[in-house]
Amino acid sequence: MLIPSIDYSLNELIDLLGQLSQKEYSNSCTELSNSTIGEHTRHIIEMFQCLENQYDLGVVNYDKRERNTLIQTDTTFAIENIRAVQKNLEKENKNITLLQIIDGEEIRIESNYNRELLYNLEHCIHHQALIKVAILQCETVTIDPNFGVARSTIEYRNQCVQ
């Protein structure tokens, strides 16, 4: 169920990017504290790429992202990168160590691949919620009302309707 949920969120993002002009994608938005939809999209993609690229090592450092500016300025390139992420999600669950430097101190935390996939899904949804705030200013773009909404919130809302 985890991989289909990630695919669903990433497909929502692909659908959105297909509606945006390069200008809408790469212009700064006051609603996003002057960052861009492209920067948020790049951040989502590169977090998944970190997990994928560092999986074999068994040590993941999310701060070691490429920060490829082409992803944040070119929707076609961003979509290609999202599709590549989707193709490489299915991996065996295994123990992974998270590595991060905080205030000059190295922190290591034990995790596993599935837990990190779940983290990346929640992280993706969080950034989609931020993107949605900016998108609501674009009159020509349509997005699903559940874009950027946690799966648990969607399920809760559905229960309340019944």
Side-chain angles (χ1 to χ4, degrees):
M1 190 64 196
L2 183 55
I3 303 289
S5 291
I6 294 169
D7 278 334
Y8 184 86
S9 286
L10 293 176
N11 283 334
E12 283 184 317
L13 189 55
I14 288 170
D15 291 343
L16 172 66
L17 298 185
Q19 297 180 63
L20 295 177
S21 68
Q22 297 301 329
K23 183 178 179 181
E24 291 167 323
Y25 184 65
S26 59
N27 275 3
S28 63
C29 305
T30 54
E31 299 83 10
L32 298 176
S33 300
N34 294 321
S35 65
T36 70
I37 293 169
E39 288 171 324
H40 283 269
T41 301
R42 176 187 53 77
H43 185 66
I44 291 167
I45 293 167
E46 289 186 341
M47 295 292 279
F48 278 106
Q49 288 173 334
C50 269
L51 180 58
E52 177 188 334
N53 295 338
Q54 298 171 37
Y55 172 86
D56 288 336
L57 287 172
V59 177
V60 175
N61 182 342
Y62 289 115
D63 292 335
K64 298 287 184 186
R65 297 187 304 280
E66 186 177 339
R67 292 172 171 84
N68 184 338
T69 56
L70 189 56
I71 293 173
Q72 72 189 41
T73 57
D74 184 332
T75 55
T76 302
F77 189 66
I79 290 169
E80 289 170 8
N81 276 267
I82 293 169
R83 288 195 173 119
V85 163
Q86 288 176 304
K87 287 179 188 171
N88 293 301
L89 291 171
E90 299 264 355
K91 292 185 180 356
E92 182 180 331
N93 189 32
K94 71 175 195 175
N95 290 334
I96 288 177
T97 301
L98 295 179
L99 171 65
Q100 191 168 359
I101 307 296
I102 300 175
D103 298 329
E105 185 178 335
E106 184 178 283
I107 308 291
R108 289 179 178 263
I109 299 171
E110 295 305 313
S111 186
N112 63 61
Y113 181 67
N114 287 341
R115 171 64 186 95
E116 292 310 304
L117 280 179
L118 180 60
Y119 165 75
N120 274 281
L121 171 60
E122 294 297 322
H123 178 261
C124 175
I125 291 168
H126 165 74
H127 279 275
Q128 285 176 320
L130 293 170
I131 291 168
K132 187 177 189 176
V133 171
I135 291 301
L136 294 175
Q137 311 307 314
C138 301
E139 296 174 8
T140 60
V141 177
T142 57
I143 55 174
D144 188 289
N146 289 327
F147 182 89
V149 178
R151 298 295 176 263
S152 60
T153 303
I154 295 167
E155 288 176 25
Y156 175 75
R157 288 177 180 167
N158 288 340
Q159 289 173 2
C160 291
V161 171
Q162 294 174 0

